Amino acid sequence: MILKEFSDFLKENEDKPSVSLLYVWLKLKIETPAKNNVDRILQKEIYIAKNKAGNFLFIGKSPSGRNLIQSLYNFALSFEQQKMARWVHKQKANNFKNIKQS
């Protein structure tokens, strides 16, 4: 159910990089009051740390939280690879004809 909700968020914002969207989605889910079980799980399992420079770091509160972050990150990467594969599939061979090889 967590991946389904994250996947829906990625589909709504396909024009942006998936890993960047993971940051936005997690921050949104963790910092707003919980509306459903996905929000509650994320808030229970993941902590957001902020340093003096204003950078954020997501930390798993437990081994299952660390696994959750890793799984979401891997899912974001695979979603990005899928977008690239679809783009390449739509291209014609002639589009790559003039590319020089080093």
Side-chain angles (χ1 to χ4, degrees):
M1 76 182 151
I2 294 172
L3 285 179
K4 169 73 172 119
E5 198 165 317
F6 180 49
S7 174
D8 292 342
F9 183 77
L10 289 174
K11 289 175 188 173
E12 292 170 4
N13 301 286
E14 277 192 44
D15 56 326
K16 298 177 182 127
S18 301
V19 175
S20 299
L21 289 172
L22 173 59
Y23 160 78
V24 171
W25 185 73
L26 280 175
K27 193 167 180 315
L28 176 73
K29 292 292 186 179
I30 293 171
E31 290 184 342
T32 58
K35 298 175 189 166
N36 54 35
N37 286 339
V38 171
D39 297 352
R40 286 183 196 89
I41 291 168
L42 291 172
Q43 290 174 2
K44 179 133 180 117
E45 294 291 336
I46 300 172
Y47 175 76
I48 298 178
K50 184 177 178 182
N51 66 11
K52 292 178 182 178
N55 298 323
F56 291 92
L57 176 67
F58 295 101
I59 303 168
K61 294 180 181 178
S62 64
S64 61
R66 290 186 285 278
N67 288 338
L68 176 58
I69 291 171
Q70 185 67 44
S71 296
L72 288 168
Y73 179 74
N74 288 339
F75 186 81
L77 290 177
S78 69
F79 191 85
E80 197 66 33
Q81 290 171 350
Q82 182 184 27
K83 285 191 318 189
M84 179 58 103
R86 285 183 182 158
W87 178 84
V88 168
H89 184 71
K90 290 178 185 177
Q91 302 304 309
K92 299 192 185 308
N94 290 341
N95 294 351
F96 301 100
K97 193 173 184 178
N98 294 326
I99 296 177
K100 295 181 181 180
Q101 293 182 356
S102 302

